[in-house]
Amino acid sequence: MISGLIHEYVLLFMAQRHGPPYNNPQQVKYEPTFGKHSLFFVWNGIVLLLERALEGHPFIKWMGLNLPKQVRTALVLLTVLPIAHLFTDEYVKSCFFSDTAFAFPRITYLGTSIE
């Protein structure tokens, strides 16, 4: 939880820039959405607590002994990948990772706005 709060604090400073970031093609000032980083770290805390609670379960022991390391690694990654956007979206929106922002798939509306 503390890590989530520290990351929210970093977002606060990232939002203090004057004007839009230089590498922002839309030239829109960044307005952070707070709470997503904390939620991400709360989820990871829950996963760690579940890991500790279930480590003695026979099925978990069987998986540890019989599944290949690559499959176990994939299962661990599947606990975080569905919610990874909670952590990375704010950095992408703020153009903090301008060099890697193109690696994140996005859908961009190219039409005119309806007003």
Side-chain angles (χ1 to χ4, degrees), residues 11-31:
L11 286 179
L12 180 66
F13 282 104
M14 288 172 54
Q16 300 303 315
R17 288 191 264 193
H18 296 291
Y22 296 114
N23 54 356
N24 184 349
Q26 288 85 20
Q27 295 298 308
V28 178
K29 186 172 190 262
Y30 169 63
E31 296 291 333

Side-chain angles (χ1 to χ4, degrees), residues 46-62:
I46 291 169
V47 168
L48 288 174
L49 291 173
L50 285 172
E51 179 186 19
R52 177 64 66 158
L54 297 174
E55 69 184 347
H57 192 275
F59 181 67
I60 301 298
K61 286 182 178 179
W62 177 87

Side-chain angles (χ1 to χ4, degrees), residues 87-102:
F87 187 77
T88 58
D89 277 358
E90 291 301 317
Y91 295 115
V92 172
K93 285 191 323 188
S94 71
C95 297
F96 185 72
F97 294 127
S98 60
D99 294 337
T100 59
F102 299 106

Side-chain angles (χ1 to χ4, degrees), residues 60-94:
I60 301 298
K61 286 182 178 179
W62 177 87
M63 286 176 30
L65 294 172
N66 296 307
L67 292 179
K69 187 175 183 178
Q70 295 85 355
V71 173
R72 293 192 318 259
T73 300
L75 290 173
V76 169
L77 290 175
L78 286 174
T79 64
V80 73
L81 284 179
I83 62 158
H85 67 279
L86 293 175
F87 187 77
T88 58
D89 277 358
E90 291 301 317
Y91 295 115
V92 172
K93 285 191 323 188
S94 71

